Amino acid sequence: MTITELLYKYWGFRAFRPLQEEIIESVIEKKDTLALLPTGGGKSLCYQVPGLFLEGFCLVITPLIALMKDQVGALNKKGIIAYAIYSGMDKMEIKSILDKTASGLVKFLYVSPERLTTDLFKAHLPHFKINLIAVDEAHCISQWGYDFRPPYLKIAEIREWFPNSPVLALTATATPNVVDDIIQNLQFKNRNIFRNSFQRENLVYMVLKEEDKLNRILSILNKVPGSSIIYVRNRKRTKEIALWLRQKGITAGFYNAGMTSEQRDETQKAWMNDYIQVVVATNAFGMGIDKPNVRTVIHIDCPDSLEAYFQEAGRAGRDGLKSYCILLWENADLSELHEYIESSYPQLEIIKKTYNALCNYLKIPIGGGKEEYNDFDLIHFADYYSINPTIVFSSLRLLEKEGYITMRDVMNEPSKVIFKIGAADLYHFQVENKKYDHFTKALARCTTGIFTDLSPIREDQLALSLKLQTAQVISLLLDLQSMGVINYQPRRDKPGIILNSERIDERYIAISPENYQIRKQEAIQRAQSVTSYITNGDICRSAQLVAYFGESNALSCKQCDVCISKN
């Protein structure tokens, strides 16, 4: 079957988008490949099609758990076996997935970068048959990038095990320096770059100086019908602005990382299905969301970088129709942006104390806690230790970037169960423990694969079928777990933190002064690029953006605020 036939069979498309076919053919020819495609450019097909075409399985490395879950679900619906592994999963579940992958039963394995260095993953490497290593969000490997992640630097170590497997690196936001870093750090055999223009002719970029931002937003939404995203930095303001818009007759919801998974899902579904026009959100919203008819993306706070702005604004107009990317600003916003960057880099002593307080808060002793998932409420932690929440968040982010911890936003993991004993032993257990006979039989019937995989269950539905209270079902599950009959993983719907290695004394926490200063200086320079973009009223907005990503001689768009003012 050809790649075009695969495309039609599984995705229903008769032709590839620009550059997709060339990228896929390059990978099939075993060439290391860097694909620079703008947001919405169809990056996932560039590894899914060759991963399906080639013998073996495709290893996909990405930090985006939501994207993993979406793509694994979509592939499974097509009859393609795919799994995802990320921090916070049960070790038994991870081992089961890795065993299946080593046995050749899996076609796509999605992993977060920090999983690559675990002993369990390394132990399975000799048994893998990887046809392609796909590195999504590849800009994370560069210390010049706006979202540098140290675990990405470990990816190249996998190549020693699979010298004939090509690497496909994909990103929508890479400056020339970042491109060089990606090629070097992933140990490309040859420089091989496919670059789609970052210029999107259907997007109109507008930068408007405005003191009364809310009424300007209302005016925009009334003039431009269709779906809209409004980005703000502050979680509290997402709700305040959404409620204000509702009072003005605009259907709006809000979305931020502090909400429960149900609340976020409800907002997202309502917006995706056009029940509400607007989502007011922090940057927690958008990854993996592909809604074609977004007509406006409005920023009312200055973004931290042009990379982040370009990616968020690029969620507009994916259907190719004219759409608007609008940034509203006033003078105070520029100074607030630079103050925000400064506050994002606390002193090393503060970072050390935050690490120590975190471990005490989670009751993790020295030498313990490695790879254990812990529910974590940042606001409660900050109140408990009387630390400014922004300082806490910034300290934790720096600890994460140095590889000490992994932070997780609100998880939406259903409860899961697996029988630790076989059917014969279960029968003997039921005979000897009549109290649990009826319950274990119902549990065994509730889902397929419960003897081989950690399988999702709903305690409330199980309770309903057995005419019990949900609390009684949970109590029975915990009893069976304590007796070694099952492994029960209760539902997770809170943010979490994982220590990537055992807790160490805070004195040994080290953040390289060079790296700290380099990253801070880079963040300051990125903020200055944002300031330059906002205040430069002489050069076309689109031309400014694509020039930042290394495209010279871009034509004026003739429709942004700068081009309109000139004409």
Side-chain angles (χ1 to χ4, degrees):
M1 190 176 291
T2 66
I3 58 173
T4 306
E5 288 169 341
L6 281 175
L7 179 71
Y8 181 69
K9 178 180 177 180
Y10 289 102
W11 288 274
F13 304 132
R14 293 198 177 275
F16 289 98
R17 292 185 188 179
L19 279 189
Q20 281 183 331
E21 190 167 8
E22 293 92 328
I23 292 166
I24 291 166
E25 287 175 346
S26 173
V27 168
I28 290 173
E29 292 169 5
K30 305 289 186 182
K31 295 177 181 177
D32 294 335
T33 305
L34 172 58
L36 300 174
L37 298 173
T39 301
K43 292 191 292 294
S44 60
L45 279 181
C46 293
Y47 57 80
Q48 288 177 346
V49 171
L52 202 56
F53 180 83
L54 296 168
E55 186 179 352
F57 77 92
C58 175
L59 179 68
V60 185
I61 301 163
T62 175
L64 307 174
I65 293 180
L67 180 138
M68 284 190 201
K69 291 180 177 179
D70 287 348
Q71 293 200 3
V72 166
L75 288 168
N76 288 337
K77 284 180 181 177
K78 299 177 193 299
I80 302 167
I81 299 175
Y83 285 96
I85 295 176
Y86 45 86
S87 298
M89 290 176 66
D90 184 273
K91 287 183 180 178
M92 182 181 288
E93 184 176 15
I94 293 173
K95 185 178 183 305
S96 173
I97 292 171
L98 292 174
D99 287 345
K100 288 177 183 175
T101 306
S103 300
L105 301 175
V106 177
K107 202 59 184 165
F108 291 90
L109 180 64
Y110 288 74
V111 299
S112 53
E114 64 272 8
R115 294 291 90 196
L116 301 175
T117 57
T118 63
D119 294 339
L120 188 56
F121 189 87
K122 287 178 178 178
H124 283 78
L125 277 176
H127 310 291
F128 284 166
K129 188 172 184 179
I130 295 177
N131 60 31
L132 170 63
I133 301 169
V135 183
D136 197 18
E137 307 295 323
H139 57 270
C140 295
I141 204 170
S142 172
Q143 294 191 43
W144 300 100
Y146 75 105
D147 195 20
F148 171 61
R149 296 171 184 254
Y152 264 72
L153 294 173
K154 301 287 186 181
I155 295 173
E157 295 177 7
I158 299 175
R159 304 207 65 178
E160 298 173 13
W161 291 90
F162 308 99
N164 297 320
S165 300
V167 168
L168 172 60
L170 305 113
T171 181
T173 50
T175 61
N177 282 337
V178 172
V179 167
D180 292 340
D181 259 6
I182 292 170
I183 289 172
Q184 179 180 341
N185 292 335
L186 288 176
Q187 298 178 4
F188 272 38
K189 297 180 178 71
N190 293 291
R191 191 179 180 89
N192 182 32
I193 302 172
F194 291 86
R195 187 193 306 267
N196 221 340
S197 174
F198 285 89
Q199 198 158 20
R200 290 180 60 189
E201 295 178 357
N202 65 310
L203 296 188
V204 181
Y205 296 97
M206 309 288 284
V207 178
L208 307 175
K209 193 170 185 180
E210 180 62 72
E211 292 184 6
D212 187 1
K213 294 182 182 179
L214 289 182
N215 277 308
R216 175 57 77 98
I217 289 170
L218 186 62
S219 173
I220 292 167
L221 293 176
N222 284 326
K223 287 179 181 176
V224 185
S227 290
S228 179
I229 308 172
I230 299 173
Y231 281 109
V232 299
R233 183 174 287 125
N234 185 286
R235 292 181 183 181
K236 184 180 177 183
R237 289 186 74 198
T238 62
K239 182 176 182 180
E240 292 173 348
I241 294 170
L243 293 176
W244 185 86
L245 288 171
R246 289 177 196 171
Q247 292 171 357
K248 301 298 180 181
I250 302 289
T251 54
F254 58 96
Y255 187 108
N256 62 64
M259 297 163 62
T260 66
S261 55
E262 289 88 352
Q263 290 170 330
R264 296 204 297 184
D265 287 346
E266 185 180 342
T267 298
Q268 182 175 322
K269 287 176 183 175
W271 182 73
M272 291 292 289
N273 292 318
D274 293 323
Y275 297 137
I276 57 175
Q277 180 184 353
V278 180
V279 172
V280 186
T282 61
N283 61 6
F285 182 75
M287 285 297 180
I289 292 172
D290 191 7
K291 183 173 170 62
N293 62 335
V294 179
R295 296 280 75 90
T296 55
V297 173
I298 304 170
H299 284 72
I300 61 174
D301 290 314
C302 295
D304 305 343
S305 66
L306 288 182
E307 290 96 331
Y309 178 70
F310 187 77
Q311 192 167 55
E312 289 162 3
R315 294 181 181 123
R318 292 192 178 181
D319 55 6
L321 300 180
K322 190 172 184 178
S323 304
Y324 297 84
C325 309
I326 302 162
L327 198 164
L328 303 177
W329 71 287
E330 53 183 324
N331 289 330
D333 292 337
L334 301 181
S335 56
E336 284 177 9
L337 170 61
H338 290 273
E339 288 169 9
Y340 175 77
I341 298 299
E342 284 292 331
S343 70
S344 297
Y345 288 83
Q347 296 297 314
L348 180 58
E349 284 306 308
I350 294 175
I351 297 170
K352 287 182 175 183
K353 290 184 183 302
T354 303
Y355 174 85
N356 194 54
L358 171 71
C359 293
N360 290 337
Y361 180 78
L362 299 176
K363 297 182 173 58
I364 298 173
I366 296 287
K370 181 179 179 180
E371 296 180 12
E372 293 178 4
Y373 186 91
N374 303 277
D375 289 338
F376 180 69
D377 185 331
L378 188 148
I379 300 301
H380 183 269
F381 172 81
D383 288 343
Y384 188 82
Y385 287 100
S386 301
I387 311 174
N388 183 301
T390 302
I391 297 296
V392 170
F393 181 78
S394 299
S395 297
L396 294 178
R397 275 295 180 217
L398 285 166
L399 287 167
E400 182 177 45
K401 288 183 182 296
E402 288 294 329
Y404 290 106
I405 65 171
T406 298
M407 297 173 67
R408 287 284 172 253
D409 285 338
V410 175
M411 300 282 282
N412 186 15
E413 292 289 333
S415 299
K416 294 180 180 178
V417 170
I418 184 173
F419 276 101
K420 296 173 72 173
I421 59 177
D425 289 332
L426 178 60
Y427 173 75
H428 292 302
F429 174 83
Q430 290 165 338
V431 170
E432 295 170 5
N433 298 271
K434 291 295 183 184
K435 175 184 175 182
Y436 300 102
D437 180 51
H438 185 52
F439 182 75
T440 51
K441 285 176 179 173
L443 188 61
R445 289 194 304 266
C446 76
T447 180
T448 57
I450 199 167
F451 285 94
T452 56
D453 293 302
L454 263 168
S455 303
I457 64 162
R458 287 275 302 271
E459 292 91 340
D460 54 346
Q461 290 182 354
L462 196 56
L464 190 64
S465 67
L466 293 170
K467 298 180 180 177
L468 296 172
Q469 297 296 318
T470 302
Q472 291 175 287
V473 167
I474 293 172
S475 178
L476 288 166
L477 289 167
L478 292 172
D479 285 349
L480 291 171
Q481 175 155 273
S482 67
M483 299 165 78
V485 176
I486 64 170
N487 182 9
Y488 170 52
Q489 180 179 294
R491 183 182 178 197
R492 288 176 178 156
D493 59 357
K494 296 182 177 68
I497 279 186
I498 302 105
L499 261 64
N500 295 333
S501 56
E502 293 86 357
R503 176 184 176 178
I504 60 176
D505 189 290
E506 66 175 280
R507 291 174 297 172
Y508 302 115
I509 292 290
I511 295 181
S512 160
E514 293 82 7
N515 281 346
Y516 180 91
Q517 291 301 328
I518 288 171
R519 291 178 198 170
K520 183 175 180 179
Q521 191 57 41
E522 282 295 311
I524 290 170
Q525 289 178 9
R526 285 193 291 271
Q528 288 171 344
S529 296
V530 172
T531 300
S532 176
Y533 172 73
I534 288 171
T535 56
N536 186 339
D538 298 321
I539 301 174
C540 165
R541 300 293 178 192
S542 179
Q544 287 187 61
L545 285 172
V546 299
Y548 181 78
F549 293 107
E551 284 187 38
S552 57
N553 304 320
L555 298 174
S556 295
C557 71
K558 300 181 181 179
Q559 52 188 358
C560 69
D561 62 291
V562 174
C563 291
I564 289 172
S565 68
K566 286 185 175 182
N567 295 327

